[in-house]
Amino acid sequence: MEIFGSSGVRGVANEYLNPEFVCNIAQAAGSVWDADAVALARDTRTTGEMLANAAASGLASVGADVHRLGVVPTPGLQAYCERVGVPGVMITASHNPPQYNGVKLVGADGIELSRGTLERVEERLLTEDFDSVPWDETGREERIDDARDRYVEQLLAAVDRERIADADLTVALDPGHGAGALTSPRIFRELGCDVVTVNAQVDGHFPGRDPEPVAENLADLGRLVRAADADVGVAHDGDADRAIFFDEHGEFIEGDGALAALAAAELDAGDTAVSAVNVSQRLVDVADRAGAALSLTAIGSTNIITRIRNLQADGESVPVAGEGNGGILFPDYRITRDGAYTAARFLELLAERPASEVVAPYDDYQLLRTDVKYETDDERRRLLDAVEAVARDADATLDTTDGYRLDYGDSWVLARPSGTEPVIRVYAESRDPARSADLVERMHEAMVAARDED
């Protein structure tokens, strides 16, 4: 696909992702759906209302009524789509910096569109083949005021409220000024937790921190956990479909460690877990111990969701899936990433043990990541040529499912183009931190030298 990446369309707002482009995306999606109504929501970004207005215009122009939900987390839109039976458009750039925005498309079942359906939308978009209607058949708008409330109520009904309340937990929450600021504080309080917050004011400039919930952006949350003597810290990205955790000592928990702990509580013999090609050995070990299979995809929620649906269609049990970035799915609940639901399931694990002990069995690997930026197609080509040269000369098992993954047995390194940003991402993992650092450095140096050559 040329336009839709691993998780929708994203770009700098009012440059690549301008109102005309968003209107065209909505027209293309509406033409493929041919639905009487479409739900429309956004996260807190300053350009969100502008682009949501453009999407509403595009949808109305192909005859769809528009249900405007306002600011809700992406899983809140998905819950609405599933409940009402309409497809949806989410204006969000998720974890990307404030200047970015994006478009994510959701089916009437509340699940992100499959690759096949996205390809049909993209074909309509590229050929500008829109099913425009006469003036007297254009869609109308309806404001939906209870979408957040209904999402919260549904989530609360799906978790073990009594178990969490009995644990008498204090939760330190950092929704990062994003859509989760309007829902997660209420969710954790209604679960019986004491809640303290940082960066919990809705602000599309994200003044407190960058939207991506990675360790270097979350120092305030670690300090809050320690100052409040909290049992756990929870951080979201801009649209609150991810959850990242801190333990009771204010120490950052690697996303792969949290995924492994949650998977260990879910997987039984004969089950299948789904993850991406940058999967941590932690999850591989958990699946092996449970007697479960592990199915790997290209990186990105679209690819993982498509694989889950295919496996379920074949009769496979898939109780857990996701990536180490905090985007975890529990398909028996809904085939969506939901940061608040993931956090609630993690709170269930804290009923018997503190967070540090919950993840202790899975902290023996060191995962590093770095990004190498490019500005032109020629620079991108040179970067990938350098990666291919490193892979060709390496004494390792090569996997090209998504980029180049070199498996050395005791460690691995992966380089692959981002589906949402002009960067090549490099990941490396090993039990030895020095080994991880060396693998990243060698790949990084080769790429930068190739990019910057005269």
Side-chain angles (χ1 to χ4, degrees):
M1 293 185 290
E2 296 179 35
I3 305 297
F4 290 95
S6 57
S7 189
V9 181
R10 294 182 195 159
V12 175
N14 222 29
E15 294 181 13
Y16 174 75
L17 201 80
N18 59 33
E20 180 182 6
F21 188 24
V22 171
C23 179
N24 289 345
I25 294 171
Q27 288 176 297
S31 299
V32 169
W33 285 325
D34 191 26
D36 292 334
V38 177
L40 174 63
R42 61 185 176 90
D43 68 17
T44 60
R45 292 167 190 272
T46 58
T47 56
E49 186 171 9
M50 174 186 75
L51 297 179
N53 289 339
S57 296
L59 293 168
S61 76
V62 296
D65 290 341
V66 182
H67 295 183
R68 306 240 358 201
L69 277 57
V71 176
V72 300
T74 292
L77 168 74
Q78 292 171 302
Y80 181 86
C81 291
E82 180 188 50
R83 185 175 70 254
V84 179
V86 298
V89 176
M90 183 73 192
I91 305 299
T92 179
S94 187
H95 66 280
N96 289 94
Q99 66 269 31
Y100 280 72
N101 217 321
V103 180
K104 184 177 291 187
L105 303 178
V106 176
D109 53 3
I111 303 172
E112 289 180 38
L113 299 188
S114 67
R115 288 188 63 84
T117 304
L118 284 174
E119 287 169 357
R120 290 169 54 207
V121 173
E122 187 166 294
E123 182 179 1
R124 291 269 194 152
L125 177 62
L126 293 172
T127 59
E128 298 187 3
D129 180 17
F130 309 138
D131 294 340
S132 299
V133 299
W135 68 270
D136 57 348
E137 295 178 17
T138 56
R140 303 189 179 200
E141 287 195 9
E142 178 182 356
R143 299 282 174 174
I144 307 298
D145 296 325
D146 65 347
R148 288 196 299 266
D149 291 341
R150 298 290 294 275
Y151 159 65
V152 169
E153 291 164 2
Q154 186 183 57
L155 188 154
L156 292 171
V159 299
D160 193 338
R161 297 180 67 169
E162 183 176 353
R163 179 180 177 86
I164 295 171
D166 288 346
D168 192 25
L169 301 171
T170 296
V171 176
L173 172 66
D174 180 355
H177 304 292
L182 297 175
T183 51
S184 286
R186 174 184 167 188
I187 287 169
F188 299 132
R189 289 189 176 105
E190 294 202 21
L191 287 172
C193 303
D194 290 329
V195 180
V196 293
T197 62
V198 64
N199 301 321
Q201 305 82 17
V202 169
D203 191 328
H205 291 95
F206 303 98
R209 69 165 172 89
D210 189 87
E212 187 168 16
V214 292
E216 54 265 34
N217 294 333
L218 299 175
D220 286 345
L221 180 58
R223 285 191 287 267
L224 179 61
V225 170
R226 293 187 289 271
D229 195 24
D231 296 285
V232 64
V234 179
H236 295 315
D237 56 341
D239 65 335
D241 67 351
R242 297 191 195 183
I244 287 291
F245 304 101
F246 279 68
D247 69 16
E248 73 279 10
H249 305 299
E251 297 295 326
F252 181 80
I253 295 175
E254 295 288 344
D256 287 300
L259 173 58
L262 288 162
E266 292 291 320
L267 290 173
D268 292 318
D271 288 338
T272 300
V274 178
S275 191
V277 69
N278 63 337
V279 63
S280 169
Q281 190 66 30
R282 299 169 173 91
L283 186 58
V284 175
D285 294 344
V286 166
D288 286 345
R289 284 195 291 268
L294 180 59
S295 181
L296 299 185
T297 74
I299 290 173
S301 60
T302 297
N303 301 308
I304 290 175
I305 287 167
T306 298
R307 181 65 55 82
I308 293 169
R309 298 178 83 166
N310 290 340
L311 288 167
Q312 289 184 332
D314 291 337
E316 297 287 336
S317 169
V318 186
V320 67
E323 300 173 272
N325 59 11
I328 301 175
L329 304 90
F330 298 85
D332 293 338
Y333 169 62
R334 186 181 295 115
I335 306 178
T336 59
R337 306 192 305 183
D338 188 329
Y341 182 79
T342 297
R345 296 301 302 270
F346 193 77
L347 296 184
E348 291 177 2
L349 302 183
L350 305 187
E352 297 179 358
R353 294 179 293 165
S356 60
E357 293 184 15
V358 166
V359 299
Y362 317 107
D363 64 359
D364 54 348
Y365 285 92
Q366 176 73 42
L367 178 67
L368 297 180
R369 192 193 98 180
T370 190
D371 295 340
V372 181
K373 296 181 179 180
Y374 60 85
E375 295 183 356
T376 66
D377 289 342
D378 181 63
E379 286 187 358
R380 183 181 190 274
R381 178 190 55 77
R382 280 185 275 163
L383 288 173
L384 291 177
D385 285 348
V387 171
E388 184 178 4
V390 172
R392 185 172 56 246
D393 294 339
D395 184 17
T397 301
L398 176 63
D399 185 321
T400 57
T401 299
D402 183 1
Y404 296 81
R405 174 175 168 134
L406 303 173
D407 193 332
Y408 293 88
D410 65 334
S411 55
W412 58 267
V413 61
L414 168 70
R416 44 88 60 180
S418 168
T420 58
E421 298 176 74
V423 299
I424 307 297
R425 302 203 192 282
V426 181
Y427 309 79
E429 185 181 53
S430 174
R431 283 191 172 94
D432 179 1
R435 174 66 168 158
S436 298
D438 180 62
L439 290 171
V440 166
E441 184 178 359
R442 280 193 285 167
M443 187 69 78
H444 183 270
E445 287 180 351
M447 293 168 65
V448 170
R451 182 195 63 189
D452 296 342
E453 66 184 8
D454 293 329

